[in-house]
Amino acid sequence: LTSPITAGNWWPRMVAGGTTGNTLHSISITYPVGSGGTLHQGLDGALLYSRSLNGGVSWDTKHRLISGLDTASFIGFSGDAYAIDAKGNNVAIVAGNSVSDLVLMKSTDNGDNWTKTVIYQFPIHKWDWATTISDVDGDAIADTIDSYDASISALIDNSGMVHVWYGRFRIVQP
């Protein structure tokens, strides 16, 4: 798969699914700006989805930005701040960055359509470490925020339910 940006895609994850187990689902991020990459569709580290229906011989979906993982909710994604699992036609992508919402994108039709569920809502929309303080109550004093640490895991059980694990994380940013 040729990357949509010059610096390439990084930190990939791939799982097999579909009714015959021959569908490959892959996610990766575009190389972040801080590492020498460029913005892709407005995101610094865009999380992109690709799919092969024939075990990787060809790819019918290449580097798709799934609606719900875009600039309406995110600035971008960091390496390893996401997980993917598949079981039959169920596909689950869990993504976040410790200082953003943690979301589950689930497909029940082998990656054709996606439904977004916010697992954890971060209290400050589109946090930026360079410009944002952790002030959640508007008094201009940094608050301690409980969050998750971006070491995310996901598993789809036999009934199609997605189970998600992550570590606890607390931040204060003056």
Side-chain angles (χ1 to χ4, degrees), residues 60-129:
D60 70 311
T61 302
K62 295 179 184 178
H63 306 300
R64 176 178 162 201
L65 179 61
I66 298 171
S67 179
L69 297 176
D70 51 28
T71 58
S73 301
F74 297 96
I75 292 173
F77 294 91
S78 300
D80 300 329
Y82 42 84
I84 187 170
D85 192 29
K87 189 170 206 71
N89 284 331
N90 291 308
V91 186
I93 298 171
V94 182
N97 271 329
S98 300
V99 292
S100 68
D101 293 347
L102 177 63
V103 299
L104 164 65
M105 302 302 298
K106 184 177 180 186
S107 172
T108 57
D109 58 6
N110 205 31
D112 287 331
N113 298 288
W114 298 89
T115 302
K116 179 179 179 178
T117 301
V118 176
I119 296 170
Y120 170 79
Q121 185 173 11
F122 193 75
I124 299 173
H125 184 65
K126 293 176 81 169
W127 170 285
D128 182 347
W129 282 103

